[in-house]
Amino acid sequence: MDEDRVPASGTVHWIGAGLSTGSGLAALCDTAGHVTLWHRTEDRAAAALDRLGLAGRAEPRAYTLPALTAALTPGDVVVSMLPAPQHAPLLTACVRRRAHFACSSYVSDAVLEQVPTAERAGLVVLTEAGLDPGIDHLFAHDLVARAREAIGDGTPASYSLTSYCGGVPAVPNDFTYRFSWAPLGVLNALRTPARYVEDGAETVAERPWEATRRHIVDGETFEVYPNRDSVPFVAQYGLPSVWTPRTFVRGTLRLEGWLRAWQGVFEELRTGDDARIAVLARKLADTYPTTGQDRDRAVLAVSLDVRVGTGQTWAGGYLLDLVGDARESAMARCVSRTLGLGVRHVLDGSLPAGLSRAAETADRSRRWLGELARDGIEFTLRADE
């Protein structure tokens, strides 16, 4: 354990019980000393615990930031399932009360600004510990480590790394989609330019969907497009400096036919302002509701291909392809179990103070993958020996 780290108290505060809260919370109820589920009202928190089969195993509370702050003690762990803009105020409260922080979302600039203070205070800031981001990082770290072992860090090479993830309906519908998170978040992600490497050069897609292409995974054709800014992950994944990227893209995966089915949505995204997009999001939520009878499918495919001038090559890939069931969606299973695993490592003291984006290193990623497999997250690896 890091001697400068605030020892975990054993108490976990899980905030929010939306679509991605699932069996990972149940796993924490088995390992943490005390778990509190904070939701909009105490009754809603209690109803969520009952739905998850956790009534009596966690304490329901009505969430407000002042109420949570007052409840925090040194070494507690705050787990945020709230929208990303609410993470920075939560982290501020954690630093003030000497509590650790965890979430499954991308780390924001507002959170990054507070990381040095949190690290000096001996606090863990765990982010990007879900499916995407999260398990995709674990896959990438492990593939890069395997390739480095095979090729060697000092050998010049070129490589292609692609990481595509999507939540889609298990039974295709006319819309080719099933909302696994807030529709407004889905639309705003499409409005955000994407930066990636293609044909050896950095490329920006101002409208990511316009860069959609066919992508075959395990014999099945999907449609994929770049998402956010892929370029910083070249350094994060530890790719050797003498290796040159031919392709490096982290993106979103959709069912075949998605581009055609969403043409009306794209027209509104091209011309609509924030107010109109918010109206469209509400309309889509009403038109394509997520019901208890729906089953989702989570697909994550990460591949790495390395080529040396001598003709030597190395290739490997991970594939996760899960379908939800009556107990929980595939998305909730992947996100909450990965986040729950990360929180367990905050509790046991094995994560250092400061920022961790999921497992962060190749060795830790490999351990987490083994633990996730034992937790029931199934995936396959193919790699050159």
Side-chain angles (χ1 to χ4, degrees):
M1 178 182 292
D2 185 342
E3 293 181 359
D4 296 328
R5 215 196 74 157
V6 174
S9 67
T11 294
V12 175
H13 302 269
W14 187 288
I15 308 171
L19 293 174
S20 291
T21 292
S23 53
L25 177 58
L28 285 176
C29 288
D30 291 335
T31 56
H34 181 79
V35 176
T36 300
L37 177 64
W38 299 78
H39 205 28
R40 292 181 183 130
T41 67
E42 185 174 330
D43 286 345
R44 287 192 177 191
L49 290 173
D50 187 59
R51 171 176 55 84
L52 294 167
L54 299 177
R57 298 178 60 194
E59 177 188 1
R61 292 283 299 273
Y63 173 73
T64 66
L65 185 55
L68 172 73
T69 303
L72 293 178
T73 61
D76 287 0
V77 184
V78 171
V79 183
S80 177
M81 302 299 284
L82 300 178
Q86 297 185 46
H87 291 164
L90 272 173
L91 180 55
T92 299
C94 287
V95 172
R96 187 183 313 135
R97 303 290 288 184
R98 301 185 68 229
H100 306 288
F101 175 82
C103 71
S104 61
S105 302
Y106 284 100
V107 60
S108 66
D109 290 341
V111 166
L112 274 177
E113 290 175 0
Q114 300 185 63
V115 167
T117 303
E119 185 171 5
R120 287 193 296 270
L123 302 175
V124 177
V125 181
L126 173 64
T127 65
E128 302 183 16
L131 173 59
D132 174 4
I135 298 177
D136 57 344
H137 294 343
L138 309 184
F139 287 173
H141 277 302
D142 186 55
L143 290 173
V144 170
R146 292 172 184 272
R148 289 172 64 181
E149 291 169 5
I151 300 295
D153 288 359
T155 303
S158 66
Y159 66 88
S160 173
L161 189 151
T162 62
S163 178
Y164 292 114
C165 184
V168 299
V171 178
N173 54 27
D174 291 343
F175 195 48
T176 72
Y177 192 67
R178 176 189 187 275
F179 286 106
S180 56
W181 57 304
L184 184 57
V186 175
L187 297 183
N188 282 333
L190 283 165
R191 300 170 76 193
T192 304
R195 186 166 70 123
Y196 56 104
V197 177
E198 184 176 46
D199 295 328
E202 288 189 13
T203 303
V204 175
E206 295 294 336
R207 295 168 176 162
W209 70 86
E210 293 182 349
T212 298
R213 63 188 59 192
R214 296 170 72 249
H215 188 67
I216 297 175
V217 177
D218 200 27
E220 181 177 358
T221 301
F222 293 92
E223 294 177 355
V224 297
Y225 59 90
N227 184 28
R228 297 177 178 264
D229 187 354
S230 298
V231 175
F233 291 92
V234 172
Q236 183 176 320
Y237 290 162
L239 286 146
S241 58
V242 296
W243 292 9
T244 303
R246 303 189 308 275
T247 300
F248 189 98
V249 57
R250 300 176 72 258
T252 300
L253 176 148
R254 295 289 181 250
L255 292 177
E256 187 176 24
W258 171 80
L259 195 63
R260 180 180 62 255
W262 277 53
Q263 281 304 315
V265 174
F266 300 145
E267 288 304 318
E268 189 67 15
L269 292 179
R270 285 188 179 94
T271 59
D273 56 17
D274 288 348
R276 286 174 57 183
I277 300 306
V279 170
L280 175 61
R282 290 192 293 270
K283 179 181 178 181
L284 291 175
D286 291 340
T287 305
Y288 305 102
T290 299
T291 72
Q293 288 68 48
D294 293 332
R295 297 290 176 263
D296 73 328
R297 179 185 177 196
V299 181
L300 169 61
V302 182
S303 298
L304 175 62
D305 175 86
V306 184
R307 302 175 188 173
V308 181
T310 59
Q312 181 185 6
T313 63
W314 185 92
Y318 273 102
L319 174 61
L320 178 153
D321 190 348
L322 299 178
V323 174
D325 55 32
R327 291 172 298 175
E328 66 178 336
S329 69
M331 190 64 66
R333 187 189 318 163
C334 292
V335 172
S336 69
R337 291 190 191 183
T338 307
L339 184 55
L341 171 62
V343 173
R344 296 205 299 273
H345 285 302
V346 177
L347 293 172
D348 69 19
S350 61
L351 278 181
L355 178 66
S356 287
R357 294 177 172 92
E360 200 72 50
T361 67
D363 287 343
R364 199 178 298 145
S365 293
R366 196 164 294 181
R367 290 197 298 272
W368 281 34
L369 287 173
E371 291 173 286
L372 285 173
R374 291 192 290 275
D375 282 349
I377 301 296
E378 300 174 357
F379 50 84
T380 57
L381 165 68
R382 58 160 184 81
D384 293 343
E385 295 297 332

